[in-house]
Amino acid sequence: MAKRYPDISDHGLIGDLQTAALVSTDGTIDWFCSPRFDAPSVFGSLIDAEKGGFFRVRPVGMEYVTRQLYLPDTAILITRFLTDAGVGEVIDFMPVATGAATDRHVIVRMVRVVRGEMTFEGEIQPRFDYGRAPHRLVPAGPGAKFVSDDLTLTLHRVGEPILHGDVRAGRVEVVGSGIKVTITLRTGELTGVMLETGDVEPRQVTEDELVETFLATRRFWREWNDRSTYTGRWREMVSRSAITLKLMTYAPTGALVAAPTTGLPEQVGGERNWDYRYTWVRDASFSVYALVSLGYREEAAAFVGWLLERIHESVGTDSGPLKIMYRVDGSADLAETVLDHLSGYRKSRPVRIGNGASDQLQLDIYGEAMDSIHLADTHGVELPHAGWMKVREMLDWLCDHWDTPEEGIWETRGGPQKFTYGRFMSWVALDRGIRLAQAHGRPSSFTRWMHERDRIYERIMETGFDPERQAFVQHEGSDVLDASLLRMPLLGFITPRDPLWMSTLEAIDDELVSDSLVYRYDPSASPDGLTGGEGTFTLCSFWYVDALARSGRLDEARLVFEKMLTYANHLGLYAEEIGLTGEQLGNFPQAFSHLALINAAVNLDYQLDHGSGYVEPVLRRGRRID
């Protein structure tokens, strides 16, 4: 039955490539923002069950169990209700809006009974602007309007009223500033609604139009999915991750949001509740590798174009020529505020919108940006002259600033440090710039870049490796381990069989790994300015798979990867973190997690197919795994 706050994992995602909605396993849309990902919520009961608003469709008058699945190879979500009286389905999707930015978005909710007879109740209670803006209900003919100062929702009814003999099978009632509809359906009967953002007249949608909209949406997703070139061992999970990433891409600009939600906690009841509805240079740069590896060159090119626009706009500031994150349209106004009127997911407060980390200095983004630009270049997405000149300016800036204390990849709020990962990725940035300059004969500060790249390498070896721990550590003067350093061999900074790396990997095994799950660092050993704890990071767990495989521990790598797949939700989706008992934590679904899954699957396939000097794994106390 319905929960006041469903588990974070009890959701599927639908979207139209400009915004998205979460649908819980009880048929409730409890998160939806319009007109785009980073706009105010219309339905937000996921972060406040009383004030957030919802759109629920579920059986009434009977006990039921639910099952959810995606129509294969699509983003069309089916929620099935199984009862003693019959089996019904709610089919949710959004027609795809691939062109220019638009304020018109449509959520389609089809309801049908496939066995027996069932009574469904649908209730729509929008709450505009995160529940801060009042609205008025305007019933009109075959539907209704929900009108606020800044946005109007229009509800269209599907089909003629259903009659059972001479009796109408449904009724409509006004509940507060919302509507409740109750309808009885028998085997084979279909009804539904279209909820449209925009001030248009409510109308009666024919079943033919509904079916055509469904078929067009199915066709789009299947044709897109068929473009994938991945033929490896984990095709179903990779395909679902790719579709999920596509759902989190803002089509007008090619920007990828880190997640479509805000305020979902890293620890239930804690304060680590962030707004992830923006495009991080880091996260989106990782997407280039995933997209290229699956054959989605067009999407990779779109993001590189978006990134180059940000580099073109860049001006030197204390936080560097690039911001660490932007809105999906490329603007950088991300002032962080707290929604004091909202109670938060299961009392996890504060609920934040905007992100105060946007002005932080995080040096690693330059490495991720340059690695994605270099990778795109090797696949035919070359930099124009103007783009190269801005890249050159950016790398010259980095030569002057790579040794500056910064906040690091995890956006800690405990003060700047000289993070090893930031230095390592600065090395990557200069190394990729050198390669591009050589490959194309472009003008560059070549000698300087080489000199600073080598200085960074030597500094990391001098101050980033702790001889007592026999491991690379989080920052200069620290002995704390950091899972971000799992990327060192992946990006060529160190060979995966180097003794310095093998001992680092062993230290990470001992301290940060819990079965297949990996913590990003130990907050108790490295204060980050926040209270409370957190779960393991799914991103880091998939990085661990790749590091194991490249270090010759193939059997372990495959087992860890297979175990990680068991932590996905029922639809194959991941949040940011995984808690002690396997629960999903943090914003959902998380782009980082799905990008890392794809990259780990592709790389592990390659290692398994080509061999990596197999080494039989042993338990840490020396006993072999039989």
Side-chain angles (χ1 to χ4, degrees):
M1 303 303 285
K3 298 179 182 178
R4 181 176 174 83
Y5 288 99
D7 293 342
I8 292 172
S9 61
D10 285 349
H11 290 88
L13 182 72
I14 61 172
D16 66 359
L17 310 188
Q18 295 194 21
T19 187
L22 291 185
V23 185
S24 72
T25 52
D26 79 334
T28 300
I29 295 177
D30 53 16
W31 184 254
F32 173 61
C33 299
S34 187
R36 63 188 199 190
F37 294 106
D38 55 0
S41 65
V42 175
F43 302 125
S45 61
L46 187 59
I47 54 175
D48 191 312
E50 295 292 335
K51 301 175 183 177
F54 61 87
F55 185 2
R56 179 182 299 125
V57 180
R58 63 182 178 184
V60 291
M62 62 194 81
E63 295 290 324
Y64 60 83
V65 295
T66 68
R67 299 288 186 269
Q68 263 185 341
L69 72 154
Y70 280 110
L71 190 70
D73 301 330
T74 78
I76 298 172
L77 184 66
I78 305 172
T79 305
R80 290 169 58 81
F81 296 92
L82 290 75
T83 75
D84 290 338
V87 176
E89 296 178 342
V90 178
I91 303 171
D92 289 308
F93 62 93
M94 296 180 68
V96 177
T98 57
T102 177
D103 290 339
R104 182 182 184 273
H105 304 279
V106 177
I107 295 175
V108 179
R109 311 207 74 182
M110 298 168 56
V111 184
R112 67 176 183 175
V113 168
V114 296
R115 296 182 62 190
E117 179 178 296
M118 297 174 62
T119 299
F120 279 89
E121 177 185 273
E123 184 173 0
I124 177 170
Q125 294 286 352
R127 297 292 183 268
F128 295 87
D129 189 23
Y130 308 106
R132 296 180 296 190
H135 72 273
R136 56 192 175 88
L137 170 64
V138 183
K145 292 183 183 182
F146 305 89
V147 182
S148 73
D149 287 343
D150 296 324
L151 184 66
T152 295
L153 293 182
T154 301
L155 188 68
H156 308 292
R157 189 182 69 200
V158 172
E160 296 286 348
I162 292 176
L163 301 177
H164 292 159
D166 295 327
V167 180
R168 181 172 291 201
R171 68 178 186 274
V172 178
E173 57 184 308
V174 174
V175 179
S177 56
I179 287 178
K180 182 183 291 185
V181 178
T182 307
I183 189 166
T184 300
L185 300 176
R186 295 173 179 171
T187 302
E189 292 180 336
L190 171 72
T191 189
V193 296
M194 286 186 176
L195 183 65
E196 180 177 354
T197 59
D199 189 3
V200 297
E201 285 305 308
R203 63 189 178 89
Q204 185 173 299
V205 178
T206 67
E207 285 193 21
D208 287 345
E209 181 183 348
L210 181 70
V211 171
E212 179 53 39
T213 303
F214 169 85
L215 293 176
T217 305
R218 185 184 70 176
R219 184 166 54 251
F220 170 87
W221 286 108
R222 288 188 171 169
E223 288 176 353
W224 186 85
N225 188 68
D226 287 346
R227 287 172 47 205
S228 174
T229 58
Y230 179 77
T231 57
R233 294 166 176 81
W234 298 283
R235 188 169 183 178
E236 185 174 348
M237 288 298 294
V238 167
S239 172
R240 181 51 52 196
S241 288
I243 290 172
T244 303
L245 292 173
K246 183 69 171 174
L247 280 169
M248 289 189 280
T249 301
Y250 185 65
T253 63
L256 175 76
V257 296
T261 57
T262 183
L264 296 184
E266 296 175 15
Q267 181 184 46
V268 174
E271 67 169 322
R272 299 169 186 262
N273 321 311
W274 314 110
D275 190 349
Y276 276 9
R277 298 170 299 157
Y278 309 113
T279 299
W280 270 251
V281 169
R282 176 187 306 114
D283 303 36
S285 295
F286 288 155
S287 73
V288 174
Y289 183 90
L291 292 167
V292 165
S293 68
L294 300 183
Y296 292 113
R297 182 180 175 278
E298 180 181 328
E299 284 77 4
F303 168 70
V304 171
W306 179 91
L307 177 60
L308 288 176
E309 288 180 7
R310 307 290 80 72
I311 295 174
H312 274 292
E313 297 164 356
S314 65
V315 291
T317 65
D318 291 341
S319 60
L322 277 178
K323 295 279 190 179
I324 68 168
M325 70 181 88
Y326 298 86
R327 292 187 179 274
V328 290
D329 63 356
S331 62
D333 176 19
L334 283 87
E336 185 175 300
T337 59
V338 172
L339 300 177
D340 288 322
H341 66 291
L342 296 181
S343 63
Y345 176 84
R346 296 181 181 175
K347 299 184 178 180
S348 301
R349 301 185 72 190
V351 177
R352 299 177 174 92
I353 56 173
N355 199 303
S358 61
D359 289 325
Q360 287 185 354
L361 173 63
Q362 297 177 17
L363 291 172
D364 67 281
I365 66 172
Y366 299 98
E368 281 119 10
M370 285 305 302
D371 192 52
S372 68
I373 290 171
H374 175 260
L375 178 65
D377 179 82
T378 63
H379 287 79
V381 184
E382 297 180 1
L383 284 179
H385 168 74
W388 172 255
M389 298 308 290
K390 294 300 291 188
V391 163
R392 176 182 172 179
E393 290 178 19
M394 184 177 74
L395 293 179
D396 287 343
W397 177 91
L398 188 61
C399 285
D400 293 329
H401 293 86
W402 66 261
D403 200 30
T404 305
E406 41 128 1
E407 276 81 9
I409 180 176
W410 305 127
E411 298 173 5
T412 58
R413 302 191 178 192
Q417 299 287 348
K418 294 187 176 183
F419 285 100
T420 304
Y421 183 73
R423 288 177 167 178
F424 148 55
M425 291 306 295
S426 296
W427 178 92
V428 170
L430 292 170
D431 180 73
R432 301 315 189 253
I434 291 166
R435 296 188 192 194
L436 284 168
Q438 286 180 313
H440 298 291
R442 295 282 177 83
S444 67
S445 308
F446 192 83
T447 302
R448 186 186 186 202
W449 293 355
M450 288 188 64
H451 175 70
E452 294 302 322
R453 181 192 65 178
D454 294 347
R455 281 187 65 207
I456 295 170
Y457 183 93
E458 291 166 355
R459 184 70 62 83
I460 291 174
M461 290 302 179
E462 291 169 4
T463 66
F465 187 85
D466 187 321
E468 293 187 10
R469 300 217 63 182
Q470 283 295 294
F472 290 100
V473 292
Q474 188 176 67
H475 59 78
E476 188 173 309
S478 166
D479 64 357
V480 174
L481 299 179
D482 193 311
S484 65
L485 301 180
L486 287 166
R487 300 197 75 218
M488 282 181 143
L490 313 186
L491 294 176
F493 180 84
I494 193 169
T495 64
R497 301 302 182 88
D498 190 297
L500 297 178
W501 174 250
M502 297 295 278
S503 61
T504 299
L505 186 57
E506 184 176 341
I508 290 174
D509 287 339
D510 289 336
E511 187 168 308
L512 298 183
V513 178
S514 174
D515 192 28
S516 63
L517 304 173
V518 180
Y519 291 93
R520 55 182 182 167
Y521 58 89
D522 180 358
S524 65
S526 178
D528 58 11
L530 298 166
T531 60
E534 61 184 17
T536 57
F537 257 58
T538 300
L539 164 74
C540 298
S541 300
F542 285 121
W543 282 349
Y544 181 58
V545 170
D546 208 340
L548 288 173
R550 291 172 189 256
S551 299
R553 295 162 61 178
L554 270 176
D555 201 49
E556 282 179 274
R558 184 166 188 175
L559 180 60
V560 169
F561 186 80
E562 295 285 359
K563 284 183 176 180
M564 283 303 302
L565 299 186
T566 70
Y567 287 106
N569 84 339
H570 57 289
L571 296 168
L573 306 183
Y574 291 88
E576 183 176 34
E577 301 182 19
I578 296 171
L580 185 63
T581 59
E583 69 274 21
Q584 303 269 358
L585 295 171
N587 285 303
F588 180 88
Q590 179 80 4
F592 242 165
S593 300
H594 289 277
L595 289 166
L597 183 153
I598 292 170
N599 294 342
V602 170
N603 291 333
L604 185 54
D605 271 321
Y606 180 86
Q607 299 291 340
L608 290 169
D609 290 342
H610 295 84
S612 184
Y614 171 77
V615 177
E616 186 175 355
V618 295
L619 291 174
R620 281 191 274 280
R621 290 184 174 81
R623 292 180 297 163
R624 292 190 178 278
I625 301 175
D626 296 324

